[in-house]
Amino acid sequence: MRVECKISADYKEPYAVIYLNKMTKAIAEIISMLEKEGTDSLTLVATKEKRTYFIKPEEISLVRSEGREIVCYDKLKNKYVLDKPLYELESILDHHFVRVSKSTIVNIRQINHVEASLNGTMELVMKNGITDYISRSYRKVFKERLGLE
């Protein structure tokens, strides 16, 4: 494989373009590693009981809208209120997060199991015990992200 790197102080942010005739597991891992570059510093600001907390994305199990609030649950099932809308969180969270319904984004590393239900939805059970549903309109994207389709 031919690799070319250009280094210049003019570049504000790294940018990579990869030309392929087919995707391989090794290339997918490299892409995953490149996408993660720089996200280690991402911290979300959340509130709980009038206190402000700084939460790393890897600690988040799921994010969803509950009434007028956008809340996230961590690995220990603690609930925090976020100050960003769901669509914005979806764009800034890394590739380990996937939208499963209009109101929920989940961390795929925190999924315990998924069960199909009779009405076409799928019940999602997180490692911390929280449940949610994958709606029919998001099921295909969910399965693709997990490599099931």
Side-chain angles (χ1 to χ4, degrees):
M1 175 184 291
R2 195 178 99 220
V3 177
E4 180 180 337
C5 293
K6 296 179 181 179
I7 300 170
S8 172
D10 296 336
Y11 299 133
K12 304 281 186 249
E13 183 178 343
Y15 180 80
V17 177
I18 301 172
Y19 298 94
L20 308 167
N21 61 354
K22 71 175 188 168
M23 180 62 74
T24 65
K25 186 176 179 182
I27 297 294
E29 288 173 2
I30 290 168
I31 291 170
S32 175
M33 188 174 63
L34 288 171
E35 287 175 337
K36 188 171 169 66
E37 181 72 22
T39 61
D40 292 337
S41 62
L42 177 63
T43 303
L44 299 175
V45 178
T47 57
K48 178 181 174 183
E49 299 169 359
K50 297 183 182 178
R51 292 184 179 156
T52 301
Y53 293 87
F54 301 96
I55 303 172
K56 293 274 189 194
E58 60 269 13
E59 296 297 317
I60 295 173
S61 183
L62 69 86
V63 179
R64 67 179 169 201
S65 60
E66 294 181 357
R68 294 188 170 267
E69 294 180 326
I70 302 299
V71 299
C72 72
Y73 291 89
D74 67 9
K75 293 177 181 180
L76 302 174
K77 216 173 179 177
N78 293 312
K79 178 180 174 180
Y80 301 91
V81 177
L82 298 169
D83 63 347
K84 295 187 182 315
L86 208 54
Y87 72 89
E88 191 175 324
L89 290 166
E90 184 178 24
S91 69
I92 62 173
L93 291 170
D94 69 15
H95 62 282
H96 293 294
F97 287 83
V98 63
R99 192 159 200 153
V100 295
S101 69
K102 280 178 128 179
S103 61
T104 307
I105 300 169
V106 298
N107 182 342
I108 60 177
R109 295 173 295 186
Q110 296 297 318
I111 297 172
N112 187 24
H113 67 275
V114 178
E115 295 178 24
S117 61
L118 297 175
N119 64 358
T121 62
M122 296 175 78
E123 184 178 21
L124 182 69
V125 180
M126 305 305 289
K127 289 180 181 176
N128 62 7
I130 295 175
T131 61
D132 210 305
Y133 289 91
I134 304 168
S135 69
R136 284 181 289 211
S137 56
Y138 288 90
R139 186 175 50 207
K140 183 176 181 184
V141 173
F142 176 78
K143 285 183 173 183
E144 286 173 355
R145 290 291 301 280
L146 291 180
L148 301 173
E149 212 167 84

